[in-house]
């Protein structure tokens, strides 16, 4: 192997600078901020590269730190033109008006901004946005209420916004304004009450996902929910494939009417929101409610369930036998399902297995990372019972379990070896356990 030191090359100091700018930018992107700062002091060319990397995506939670960056953006045209993403999530609740004056000055300089997130509901932010226009803005996420100022901002960017997140707590029914047309909108997140105002028919249908996750989602009247779901089906039924819903349980009006009208969904996300302990539905109860929704969704491929708690609580975890029974029941209702995440966060994938030439059969298999010692043996019983129907599956079962369970045991061995003086003994016991499991698989394969 021929090794050439950088210092032995002619003009070695300019070697890095002579690389294509795209290559230099990719290299710098892998460096920590401290290294980029040091690199920026090497020469003018490296300073330009460092500025582009440091200011590409900005995120702030403190007003004082943000103001320091604002001064740099005002003084340095290169820094301002480098900003592609800006997130403002300030913990300060009381901000002086002078801050918004500086913010407005800075925002007007960000001509290449593509993603803007204002995760604060202070009215001063609307004033700062009032005279701004970003020619390349594609994503807007804000907790600002949907007032006339924000509507005007959306109208100015109607031709560029493709992802819109409106988490504000206002209602559109108090607004006297025509609906906003966003011809390139692909994803909308917010209160379903905003749907009829924001989501309109597109010349080239693009809207593929709607996430109804605003915190005041449960304040809507049922008639408003029905009108919103009908509207979605009318204007986006051809392209809408993903819907996420937050609610107390999965049998509420929003989930029911979404399944009634949006029958072409491929992905359904359901999030149970608990504010008090009495609202902690059991996993079995949530799954029973889901079964009532599935008959209306024959095209469904992915079902994702979860929980959101206002207080720390312990979620009931199903064993693999219970989880397997549930996902099999779901797939019997929706034959196209190939992925299910249960409310206890266990994930199941449906695997297609060849059987006798061109035919196939399917079997549900849990995420490997969720294995435990006890569940591995339980899973072996489940899969062997399924596999007896299809002898060709049993040999493949051995390979899958050998790799999956083997990885789990080995990861546990490494963790215990680093935290215990008895590491070698633990590793030996794990090897023995793996051999025992594989021998049991061999016996069952031979028995069938």
């Amino acid at each position: 192997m021929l090794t050439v030191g950088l210092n032995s090359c002619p003009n070695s100091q300019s070697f890095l600078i002579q690389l294509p700018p795209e290559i230099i930018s990719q290299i710098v992107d892998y460096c920590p901020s401290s290294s980029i700062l040091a690199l920026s002091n090497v020469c003018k060319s490296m300073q330009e590269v460092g500025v582009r990397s440091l200011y590409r995506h900005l995120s702030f939670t403190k007003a004082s730190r943000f103001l320091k960056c604002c001064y740099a953006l005002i003084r340095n045209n290169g820094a301002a033109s480098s900003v592609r993403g800006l997130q403002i999530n300030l913990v300060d609740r009381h901000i002086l008006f002078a801050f918004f004056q500086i913010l407005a000055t800075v925002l007007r300089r960000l001509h290449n901004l593509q993603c803007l997130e204002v995760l604060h509901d202070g009215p001063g932010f609307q004033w700062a946005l009032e005279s701004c226009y970003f020619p390349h803005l594609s994503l807007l996420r804000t907790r600002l209420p949907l007032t006339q100022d924000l509507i005007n901002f959306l109208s100015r960017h109607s031709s560029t916004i493709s992802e819109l997140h409106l988490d504000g707590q206002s209602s559109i029914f108090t607004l006297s304004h025509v609906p906003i047309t966003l011809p390139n909108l692909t994803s909308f997140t917010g209160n379903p009450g905003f749907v009829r105002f924001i989501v309109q028919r597109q010349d080239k249908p693009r809207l593929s996902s709607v996430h109804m996750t605003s915190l005041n989602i449960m304040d809507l009247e049922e008639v408003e929910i029905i009108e919103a779901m009908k509207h979605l089906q009318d204007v986006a039924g051809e392209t809408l494939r993903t819907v996420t819903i937050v609610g107390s349980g999965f049998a509420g009006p929003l989930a029911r009417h979404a399944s009634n009208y949006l029958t072409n969904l491929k992905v359904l996300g359901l999030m149970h929101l608990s504010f008090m302990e009495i609202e902690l539905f059991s996993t079995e109860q949530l799954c029973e409610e889901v079964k009532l929704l599935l008959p209306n969704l024959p095209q469904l491929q992915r079902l994702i369930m979860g929980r959101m708690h206002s207080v720390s609580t312990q979620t009931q975890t199903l064993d693999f036998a219970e989880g397997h029974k549930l996902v099999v029941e779901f797939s019997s209702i929706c034959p196209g399902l190939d992925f299910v995440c249960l409310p206890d966060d266990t994930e199941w994938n449906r695997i297609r297995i060849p059987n006798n030439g061109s035919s196939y059969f399917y079997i549900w298999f849990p995420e490997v990372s969720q294995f435990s010692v006890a569940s591995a043996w339980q899973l072996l019983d489940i899969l062997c019972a399924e596999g007896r129907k299809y002898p060709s599956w049993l040999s493949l079962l051995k390979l899958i379990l050998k790799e999956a369970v083997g990885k789990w045991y080995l990861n546990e061995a490494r963790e215990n070896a680093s935290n215990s003086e008895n590491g070698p003994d633990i590793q030996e016991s794990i090897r023995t356990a793996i051999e025992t499991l594989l021998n049991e698989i061999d016996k069952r394969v031979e028995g069938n």
Side-chain angles (χ1 to χ4, degrees), residues 172-185:
I172 67 166
F173 305 109
T174 60
L175 299 172
S176 57
H177 197 282
V178 296
I180 299 174
T181 300
L182 302 173
N184 295 310
L185 189 67

Side-chain angles (χ1 to χ4, degrees), residues 1 12 39 64 116 143 185 289 291 306 352 390 432 436:
M1 178 181 296
S12 60
L39 182 65
S64 58
L116 176 61
R143 290 179 184 163
L185 189 67
E289 292 180 350
K291 292 177 187 177
R352 188 175 78 162
Y390 311 98
T432 302
T436 303

